[in-house]
Amino acid sequence: MSFSTPPLHAPLTQFATADGQLLVGGLPLTRLVERVGQTPFYAYDRTLLTARAQALRAALPPGLKIHYAIKANPMPALVCHMATLVDGLDVASAGELKVALDAGADPRQISFAGPGKRDAELCQAVAAGILVNIESFRELAVLAAASERLGLPARVAVRVNPDFELKASGMKMGGGPKQFGVDAEQVPALLAEIGRAGLAFEGFHLFAGSQNLRAEAIAEAQQKSFALALRLAEQAPAPVRLLNLGGGFGIPYFPGEQPLDLAPIGDNLAQLCAQAATALPEAELVIELGRYLVGEAGIYVCRVVDRKVSRGQTYLVTDGGLHHHLAASGNFGQVIRKNYPVAIGNRMDAAAAETLTVVGPLCTPLDVLADRMPLPAAEIGDLVVVFQSGAYGYTASPERFLGHPAAIEVLV
Ligand SMILES: *Cc1c(COP(=O)(O)O)cnc(C)c1O
């Protein structure tokens, strides 16, 4: 008989500890809780955000532009911080556009993608002078009318739904039938229409998918995106000035997952930048990342309010749950529920001593933060920390469900 050991979470190297406490922005967790004044809360560590952006830049070719996709975490203070670290911001709504502009980002470095942009949002985008990634013939018509009315040609790129998919991606957002972008085969007609309407054509946007941990798959998708953009550029009404090759860089959330190896992606992008220098001499290459930039710099903290045993299984019931952190509960796109990395933040030196299930206060069996996880013996009042929570946390959760208090977000 052979026993295989269960897979483990990738080691958490981001946050340090001291005297058994997790350190967040240099503060011991219990002190941070006092400073925040309540649990539950999200905390994002500035130093970690900066370090991640710098490490990413060091691994990628110097000419490549890095954009932050705000939807991963639109907290205004965090967006202000990110705006100083990246070359541009990508927004997915007029609400996010406001956050980006308020953060002081240069409108020339803001782009807007997403299906179903409302007429008013498209007008706001033209007035703001940002780049709009066109995703339908209707959007083009609305932009043309807005340009005429404002006397300002809309800056546009075409978001292409490619004729391939991103392999091994957590969420596919290109290839086959999709609500995103315009199918590659319809793009020539759209380009002709952009030319007739006299809009300021700037380039292409291709986004194949999200949460990918396989460097070769990402590199392959970027090569194919580049090749497709080269073909489409032949029919463009103006030289390509911007080529957004998407992103999809994943972070390890679940047992058995390993951090993404940036080296092959950097090599591949360096080759593409070199090719672009001759094939698309006016073009800047851009990648847009959300979770890779911010996901590992954030934690969610809640407090144990009850401890109970049911038929041999010990439960820690906390004041936090899926109403603040849907993704950690396993209900934000996961097919099979797996545990996020979870710790007892005021007992970081204690060895795992019990198998505990951590749940929230909601009246639904879906409200689970950790299912049968080896953890240190924990008591009422202890602090449960959910790692990898800097992206798709608070704003991706049904906060009003059951009417519990809101969480707070702090940048430390
Ligand atoms: C959501 C999204 C992103 C960010 O995805 P991550 O997985 O967080 O990196 C980037 N670009 C577009 C177009 C998106 O919709």
Side-chain angles (χ1 to χ4, degrees):
M1 237 167 107
S2 75
F3 294 92
S4 58
T5 46
L8 300 173
H9 282 108
L12 292 163
T13 52
Q14 309 264 336
F15 289 91
T17 63
D19 302 326
Q21 299 243 7
L22 194 72
L23 294 179
V24 188
L27 288 180
L29 185 62
T30 48
R31 168 124 174 246
L32 178 62
V33 171
E34 298 294 337
R35 192 195 104 169
V36 173
Q38 71 160 65
T39 54
F41 63 89
Y42 279 91
Y44 314 118
D45 188 315
R46 263 178 232 277
T47 312
L48 295 181
L49 292 167
T50 304
R52 172 54 70 104
Q54 286 170 349
L56 179 69
R57 263 203 213 283
L60 299 180
L64 183 83
K65 303 293 177 197
I66 300 170
H67 284 196
Y68 172 53
I70 289 187
K71 85 169 187 282
N73 189 329
M75 182 210 190
L78 179 138
V79 174
C80 283
H81 185 70
M82 295 309 295
T84 67
L85 300 173
V86 297
D87 303 303
L89 299 177
D90 291 336
V91 302
S93 67
E96 289 188 358
L97 173 57
K98 179 179 188 306
V99 174
L101 292 169
D102 287 349
D106 181 347
R108 285 171 301 184
Q109 313 302 340
I110 299 176
S111 58
F112 182 7
K117 300 179 195 74
R118 288 175 286 112
D119 291 13
E121 291 181 300
L122 290 164
C123 289
Q124 285 175 268
V126 178
I130 65 161
L131 179 74
V132 179
N133 292 304
I134 296 186
E135 310 211 18
S136 73
F137 284 84
R138 176 204 137 258
E139 288 187 357
L140 170 52
V142 175
L143 287 167
S147 299
E148 186 128 340
R149 193 165 64 76
L150 297 172
L152 196 65
R155 297 177 51 218
V156 299
V158 174
R159 180 169 181 182
V160 182
N161 177 22
D163 37 18
F164 57 87
E165 290 195 337
L166 179 55
K167 287 180 194 153
S169 158
M171 250 178 258
K172 290 190 173 56
M173 292 176 66
K178 287 283 179 301
Q179 72 267 52
F180 309 109
V182 174
D183 292 352
E185 50 280 22
Q186 296 182 35
V187 168
L190 187 76
L191 290 169
E193 194 65 39
I194 290 171
R196 275 194 293 276
L199 304 189
F201 171 81
E202 297 196 3
F204 296 104
H205 174 231
L206 294 102
F207 187 76
S210 236
Q211 180 49 21
N212 200 316
L213 289 168
R214 284 183 45 211
E216 318 73 50
I218 292 174
E220 188 190 317
Q222 291 180 333
Q223 280 168 20
K224 287 183 172 173
S225 297
F226 184 80
L228 175 57
L230 276 192
R231 284 204 303 283
L232 295 170
E234 289 168 16
Q235 324 211 20
V240 172
R241 295 171 52 189
L242 182 138
L243 178 52
N244 185 332
L245 292 174
F249 297 15
I251 60 173
Y253 288 106
F254 305 122
E257 292 183 343
Q258 293 303 317
L260 182 64
D261 180 6
L262 284 182
I265 298 177
D267 290 346
N268 181 61
L269 285 168
Q271 284 177 27
L272 295 180
C273 284
Q275 287 176 39
T278 48
L280 300 170
E282 297 185 34
E284 276 183 343
L285 261 52
V286 179
I287 57 165
E288 54 178 14
L289 302 174
R291 76 188 77 218
Y292 190 82
L293 285 167
V294 300
E296 301 193 65
I299 56 172
Y300 175 63
V301 182
C302 53
R303 197 184 282 283
V304 178
V305 295
D306 205 349
R307 180 187 157 112
K308 52 197 278 197
V309 179
S310 169
R311 308 220 159 94
Q313 177 60 55
T314 304
Y315 289 85
L316 300 179
V317 187
T318 72
D319 55 6
L322 78 71
H323 54 310
H324 299 153
H325 203 333
L326 187 67
S329 77
N331 295 293
F332 189 61
Q334 293 95 320
V335 182
I336 301 166
R337 191 193 177 285
K338 295 181 191 145
N339 288 329
Y340 267 49
V342 166
I344 306 299
N346 56 317
R347 297 183 190 271
M348 296 301 289
D349 288 345
E354 299 185 284
T355 300
L356 299 172
T357 291
V358 182
V359 301
L362 305 190
C363 297
T364 161
L366 300 176
D367 192 15
V368 175
L369 292 176
D371 183 20
R372 286 161 294 170
M373 193 183 255
L375 287 169
E379 301 301 333
I380 291 172
D382 280 347
L383 298 166
V384 170
V385 173
V386 182
F387 293 95
Q388 310 297 76
S389 297
Y392 307 107
Y394 201 25
T395 58
S397 301
E399 184 193 86
R400 296 178 63 183
F401 189 39
L402 266 83
H404 286 287
I408 284 178
E409 291 179 286
V410 291
L411 182 65
V412 192

